[in-house]
Amino acid sequence: MAAITLKRTAQKMPAIGFGLWKVTKSSCADTVYNAIKSGYRLLDGAGDYGNEKEAGEGLNRAIKDGLVKREEIFVTSKLWNTFHAHDHVKALARKQLDLWGIDYFDLFLVHFPIALKYVEPGHRYPPEWFGDDGKVYLQNTPFSETWGAMEELVDEGLVKNIGVSNTQGVLLLDILRYARYEPAVNQVELHPYLTQEPLIKLCKTLGIAITAYSSLGPQSYVELGGDKGAKNLLEHNVVTSIAQKNSKSTAQVLLRWAVQQGLAVIPKSNNHHRLVANLQVSDFTLPETDMKALSALNINLRLNDPSDMDPRLAIFA
């Protein structure tokens, strides 16, 4: 399987992973087990997804059954916004490792460069975006404090690599001014409606790997009412035409478009057939004309934008 070599540790991160966002909690353990059985070697989770315990059960069952060894699986998780203070970073990393039932994360990301007011895990976990009254409460924790705590997780052997998510160039450049360990990965929304070429160029120049999420575009957001009225990329005539020409599914074409740019992808599916098909995007190459046609669909459509909830969260402004 294609892999991306991370700059500081030289660890190989699989280019195609299984994303756990919106994976049904009740079936998550079985879904993760079957994903591993089908060949996935990267699992992309987060505290905010609310299914880490179940994902860990699936992973540990796969290890127990001899499907894989722990060191053969690349596990990514993410620190939620309410835990940006130094001591909370460490406490939550340990809590999340306990939920997974593992000793270390291969990659631990700051989920958003947004610090929200601390919520005691015993009160509500995952805490999500809002206080008990449905309002957003910010917290004045500088990102340098959060990053310093993330680096200490590396020092203590709790994580192998650290990185960021939903982070634009200005903050990446600022982190590099004080980082002992530079971000290994930046995980961002990226699809043909939001191609982000300048960010890709910057990250490649800096040696920061990019993981693309929401690779299939608006379809992931329909059930959340967040597709913003955009045409389904899986049914777009440009995408369907390229898929037919290459004898591939539209999902495979969209994933290949990202992988062929040197990016990692983390599609999810609760459907086993699609789960398997999504993994099969390394055995073909899209002609340059098709790559350009897909990139030409860019309309700078950002589907995951916190400012839609509160203008003070306009991290992409």
Side-chain angles (χ1 to χ4, degrees):
M1 184 187 294
I4 295 171
T5 302
L6 301 183
K7 182 179 177 181
R8 182 180 63 82
T9 61
Q11 190 173 356
K12 303 283 189 183
M13 181 177 75
I16 306 160
F18 185 73
L20 292 165
W21 181 48
K22 296 196 306 174
V23 172
T24 306
K25 191 171 181 177
S26 60
S27 58
C28 183
D30 288 339
T31 301
V32 166
Y33 182 90
N34 289 325
I36 293 170
K37 192 174 183 179
S38 300
Y40 283 92
R41 294 296 179 264
L42 185 155
L43 302 174
D44 183 89
D48 186 53
Y49 300 165
N51 56 11
E52 289 197 295
K53 182 176 183 292
E54 294 74 16
E57 290 170 357
L59 168 60
N60 284 294
R61 193 197 318 161
I63 293 171
K64 183 180 178 182
D65 289 355
L67 298 183
V68 289
K69 297 175 181 177
R70 168 64 186 94
E71 57 269 24
E72 295 171 337
I73 296 288
F74 192 104
V75 180
T76 299
S77 192
K78 308 178 190 75
L79 176 81
W80 187 242
N81 309 333
T82 50
F83 307 115
H84 277 212
H86 177 275
D87 292 350
H88 297 154
V89 172
K90 292 190 172 187
L92 261 292
R94 290 189 173 95
K95 175 181 175 64
Q96 289 176 247
L97 286 168
D98 286 343
L99 287 172
W100 275 91
I102 57 179
D103 297 326
Y104 66 90
F105 288 124
D106 295 276
L107 176 64
F108 198 53
L109 306 174
V110 181
H111 205 148
F112 285 89
I114 295 171
L116 298 179
K117 185 178 179 182
Y118 176 66
V119 176
E120 171 62 44
H123 176 66
R124 185 174 68 247
Y125 188 84
E128 302 182 334
W129 288 92
F130 307 103
D132 293 344
D133 59 1
K135 296 179 181 178
V136 173
Y137 290 92
L138 300 179
Q139 177 174 285
N140 289 328
T141 303
F143 199 87
S144 57
E145 177 180 330
T146 306
W147 193 252
M150 295 283 285
E151 291 174 324
E152 290 175 24
L153 296 178
V154 176
D155 294 336
E156 295 175 22
L158 297 175
V159 305
K160 291 185 178 294
N161 303 276
I162 51 176
V164 292
S165 183
N166 300 297
T167 298
Q168 297 300 97
V170 63
L171 181 55
L172 286 176
L173 294 172
D174 192 57
I175 293 169
L176 295 181
R177 295 187 177 107
Y178 52 75
R180 286 191 295 120
Y181 303 135
E182 297 179 0
V185 174
N186 187 14
Q187 185 175 128
V188 296
E189 178 184 345
L190 202 151
H191 44 75
Y193 284 159
L194 183 68
T195 52
Q196 303 226 61
E197 284 99 340
L199 183 60
I200 292 174
K201 187 175 181 179
L202 174 64
C203 286
K204 286 186 175 182
T205 300
L206 297 174
I208 299 173
I210 287 184
T211 298
Y213 72 78
S214 297
S215 297
L216 307 185
Q219 184 59 25
S220 303
Y221 296 83
V222 171
E223 65 191 82
L224 305 175
D227 60 328
K228 301 186 176 180
K231 182 177 177 61
N232 186 345
L233 269 174
L234 295 169
E235 299 173 355
H236 196 290
N237 63 305
V238 170
V239 183
T240 56
S241 173
I242 291 172
Q244 290 169 3
K245 185 170 63 174
N246 289 276
S247 300
K248 297 292 178 179
S249 71
T250 49
Q252 287 171 324
V253 164
L254 293 171
L255 294 170
R256 180 63 200 174
W257 171 82
V259 170
Q260 201 162 308
Q261 294 181 68
L263 315 178
V265 292
I266 45 170
K268 77 93 188 171
S269 181
N270 288 304
N271 177 284
H272 185 71
H273 173 74
R274 288 196 293 270
L275 178 153
V276 173
N278 288 343
L279 192 59
Q280 299 167 346
V281 297
S282 297
D283 60 349
F284 71 104
T285 300
L286 291 172
E288 189 60 27
T289 52
D290 290 348
M291 292 290 289
K292 288 181 177 178
L294 291 166
S295 295
L297 298 177
N298 181 52
I299 52 175
N300 295 317
L301 174 69
R302 191 178 297 279
L303 297 155
N304 187 12
D305 190 342
S307 68
D308 293 338
M309 293 180 286
D310 189 309
R312 296 174 299 163
L313 305 179
I315 54 176
F316 303 115

